[in-house]
Coordinates of all heavy atoms in Angstrom, one line a residue:
F1 N -79.4 -26.1 0.5 CA -80.8 -25.9 0.2 C -81.4 -25.3 1.5 O -81.3 -26.0 2.6 CB -81.4 -27.2 -0.1 CG -80.9 -27.8 -1.4 CD1 -79.9 -28.7 -1.4 CD2 -81.5 -27.5 -2.6 CE1 -79.4 -29.3 -2.6 CE2 -81.0 -28.0 -3.8 CZ -80.0 -29.0 -3.8
I2 N -82.0 -24.1 1.4 CA -82.4 -23.4 2.6 C -83.8 -22.9 2.4 O -84.2 -22.4 1.3 CB -81.5 -22.2 2.8 CG1 -80.0 -22.6 2.8 CG2 -81.8 -21.5 4.1 CD1 -79.0 -21.4 2.9
L3 N -84.6 -23.0 3.5 CA -86.0 -22.4 3.4 C -85.9 -20.9 3.5 O -85.2 -20.3 4.3 CB -86.8 -23.0 4.6 CG -87.0 -24.5 4.6 CD1 -87.9 -24.9 5.9 CD2 -87.7 -25.0 3.4
A4 N -86.6 -20.2 2.6 CA -86.6 -18.8 2.5 C -87.8 -18.1 3.0 O -87.9 -16.9 3.2 CB -86.3 -18.3 1.1
Q5 N -88.9 -18.9 3.3 CA -90.1 -18.4 3.8 C -90.7 -19.3 4.9 O -90.4 -20.4 5.0 CB -91.1 -18.2 2.7 CG -90.8 -17.1 1.7 CD -91.9 -16.9 0.7 OE1 -91.8 -17.6 -0.4 NE2 -92.9 -16.1 0.9
G6 N -91.7 -18.7 5.6 CA -92.4 -19.5 6.6 C -91.8 -19.4 8.0 O -90.8 -18.7 8.2
E7 N -92.3 -20.1 8.9 CA -91.9 -20.1 10.3 C -90.4 -20.6 10.5 O -89.7 -20.2 11.4 CB -92.8 -20.9 11.2 CG -94.2 -20.3 11.3 CD -95.1 -21.1 12.2 OE1 -94.7 -22.1 12.7 OE2 -96.3 -20.7 12.4
E8 N -90.0 -21.5 9.6 CA -88.7 -22.1 9.7 C -87.7 -21.4 8.7 O -86.8 -22.1 8.3 CB -88.8 -23.6 9.5 CG -89.6 -24.3 10.6 CD -89.9 -25.7 10.2 OE1 -90.8 -26.0 9.4 OE2 -89.2 -26.6 10.8
Q9 N -88.0 -20.2 8.4 CA -87.1 -19.5 7.5 C -85.7 -19.5 7.9 O -85.3 -19.3 9.1 CB -87.6 -18.0 7.4 CG -86.9 -17.1 6.4 CD -87.4 -15.7 6.5 OE1 -86.8 -14.9 7.2 NE2 -88.4 -15.4 5.7
G10 N -84.8 -19.9 7.0 CA -83.4 -20.0 7.3 C -82.9 -21.4 7.6 O -81.7 -21.6 7.7
K11 N -83.8 -22.3 7.7 CA -83.5 -23.7 8.0 C -82.8 -24.4 6.8 O -83.3 -24.3 5.7 CB -84.7 -24.5 8.5 CG -84.4 -26.0 8.8 CD -85.6 -26.7 9.3 CE -85.2 -28.1 9.7 NZ -86.4 -28.9 10.2
V12 N -81.7 -25.0 7.0 CA -81.0 -25.8 6.0 C -81.6 -27.2 6.0 O -81.5 -27.9 6.9 CB -79.5 -25.8 6.3 CG1 -78.8 -26.6 5.2 CG2 -78.9 -24.4 6.3
I13 N -82.1 -27.6 4.8 CA -82.7 -28.9 4.7 C -81.9 -29.8 3.8 O -82.2 -31.0 3.6 CB -84.2 -28.8 4.2 CG1 -84.2 -28.3 2.7 CG2 -85.0 -28.0 5.1 CD1 -85.6 -28.5 2.1
G14 N -80.8 -29.3 3.4 CA -79.8 -30.2 2.6 C -78.5 -29.4 2.4 O -78.5 -28.3 2.1
E15 N -77.4 -30.1 2.7 CA -76.1 -29.4 2.5 C -75.0 -30.4 2.3 O -74.9 -31.5 2.8 CB -75.8 -28.7 3.8 CG -74.4 -27.9 3.7 CD -74.2 -27.0 4.9 OE1 -74.9 -27.1 5.9 OE2 -73.3 -26.2 4.9
V16 N -74.2 -30.1 1.3 CA -72.9 -30.8 1.0 C -71.8 -29.8 1.2 O -71.8 -28.8 0.5 CB -72.9 -31.4 -0.4 CG1 -71.6 -32.2 -0.6 CG2 -74.1 -32.4 -0.5
D17 N -70.8 -30.0 2.1 CA -69.7 -29.1 2.3 C -68.5 -29.7 1.6 O -68.5 -30.7 1.0 CB -69.5 -28.8 3.7 CG -69.3 -30.0 4.6 OD1 -68.8 -31.0 4.0 OD2 -69.5 -29.9 5.8
E18 N -67.4 -29.0 1.9 CA -66.1 -29.4 1.3 C -65.7 -30.8 1.7 O -65.0 -31.6 0.9 CB -65.0 -28.4 1.6 CG -65.1 -27.1 0.9 CD -64.0 -26.2 1.1 OE1 -63.9 -25.7 2.3 OE2 -63.2 -26.0 0.2
K19 N -66.0 -31.2 2.9 CA -65.6 -32.5 3.4 C -66.3 -33.7 2.7 O -65.8 -34.8 2.5 CB -65.9 -32.6 4.9 CG -65.0 -31.7 5.8 CD -65.4 -31.9 7.2 CE -64.5 -30.9 8.1 NZ -64.9 -31.0 9.5
T20 N -67.6 -33.4 2.3 CA -68.3 -34.4 1.6 C -68.5 -34.2 0.1 O -69.2 -34.9 -0.6 CB -69.7 -34.6 2.2 OG1 -70.4 -33.3 2.2 CG2 -69.6 -35.0 3.7
A21 N -67.9 -33.2 -0.4 CA -68.0 -32.8 -1.8 C -67.6 -33.9 -2.8 O -68.0 -33.9 -3.9 CB -67.3 -31.5 -2.1
G22 N -66.7 -34.7 -2.3 CA -66.3 -35.8 -3.2 C -67.4 -36.7 -3.6 O -67.4 -37.4 -4.6
K23 N -68.5 -36.8 -2.8 CA -69.6 -37.6 -3.1 C -70.6 -36.8 -4.0 O -71.4 -37.5 -4.7 CB -70.3 -38.0 -1.8 CG -71.5 -39.0 -2.1 CD -72.2 -39.4 -0.8 CE -73.4 -40.3 -1.2 NZ -74.2 -40.6 0.0
C24 N -70.5 -35.6 -4.0 CA -71.5 -34.8 -4.8 C -70.8 -33.7 -5.6 O -71.2 -32.6 -5.6 CB -72.5 -34.2 -3.8 SG -74.0 -33.5 -4.6
L25 N -69.7 -34.1 -6.3 CA -68.9 -33.1 -7.0 C -69.6 -32.7 -8.3 O -70.0 -33.6 -9.1 CB -67.6 -33.7 -7.3 CG -66.6 -32.8 -8.0 CD1 -66.3 -31.6 -7.2 CD2 -65.3 -33.6 -8.3
T26 N -69.7 -31.4 -8.5 CA -70.3 -30.9 -9.7 C -69.4 -29.7 -10.1 O -68.9 -28.9 -9.3 CB -71.7 -30.3 -9.5 OG1 -72.6 -31.4 -9.2 CG2 -72.2 -29.7 -10.8
S27 N -69.1 -29.6 -11.4 CA -68.5 -28.5 -12.0 C -69.5 -27.6 -12.7 O -70.3 -28.2 -13.5 CB -67.3 -28.9 -12.9 OG -66.3 -29.4 -12.2
I28 N -69.5 -26.3 -12.5 CA -70.4 -25.4 -13.2 C -69.6 -24.8 -14.3 O -68.5 -24.2 -14.1 CB -70.9 -24.3 -12.2 CG1 -71.6 -25.0 -11.0 CG2 -71.9 -23.4 -12.9 CD1 -72.8 -25.8 -11.3
V29 N -70.1 -24.8 -15.5 CA -69.4 -24.3 -16.7 C -70.4 -23.5 -17.5 O -71.6 -23.8 -17.7 CB -68.8 -25.4 -17.5 CG1 -69.8 -26.3 -18.1 CG2 -67.8 -24.9 -18.5
H30 N -69.8 -22.4 -18.1 CA -70.6 -21.5 -19.0 C -70.8 -22.3 -20.3 O -69.9 -22.9 -20.9 CB -69.9 -20.2 -19.3 CG -70.7 -19.2 -19.9 ND1 -71.2 -19.2 -21.1 CD2 -71.3 -18.0 -19.3 CE1 -71.9 -18.1 -21.4 NE2 -72.0 -17.4 -20.3
R31 N -72.1 -22.4 -20.7 CA -72.5 -23.2 -21.9 C -71.7 -22.8 -23.1 O -71.2 -23.7 -23.9 CB -74.0 -23.1 -22.1 CG -74.8 -23.5 -21.0 CD -76.3 -23.3 -21.3 NE -76.8 -24.2 -22.3 CZ -77.4 -25.4 -22.1 NH1 -77.6 -25.8 -20.8 NH2 -77.8 -26.1 -23.0
A32 N -71.6 -21.5 -23.4 CA -71.0 -21.0 -24.6 C -69.5 -21.4 -24.7 O -69.0 -21.8 -25.7 CB -71.2 -19.5 -24.8
A33 N -68.9 -21.2 -23.5 CA -67.4 -21.5 -23.4 C -67.2 -23.0 -23.6 O -66.2 -23.4 -24.3 CB -66.9 -21.1 -22.1

């Protein structure tokens, strides 16, 4: 989650990477499929 506008543009305010993905694992799937 990254700020795209304002003085702090580019600041990451939330991140889950591969090391912590086990806690926030989501699979993205096409609805029709």
Side-chain angles (χ1 to χ4, degrees):
F1 296 91
I2 309 172
L3 297 180
Q5 286 184 274
E7 295 180 359
E8 296 172 282
Q9 186 181 90
K11 181 177 181 179
V12 177
I13 66 170
E15 181 172 13
V16 179
D17 59 22
E18 287 186 290
K19 293 181 181 179
T20 57
K23 184 182 178 182
C24 192
L25 179 62
T26 297
S27 289
I28 306 296
V29 64
H30 198 285
R31 300 175 71 95

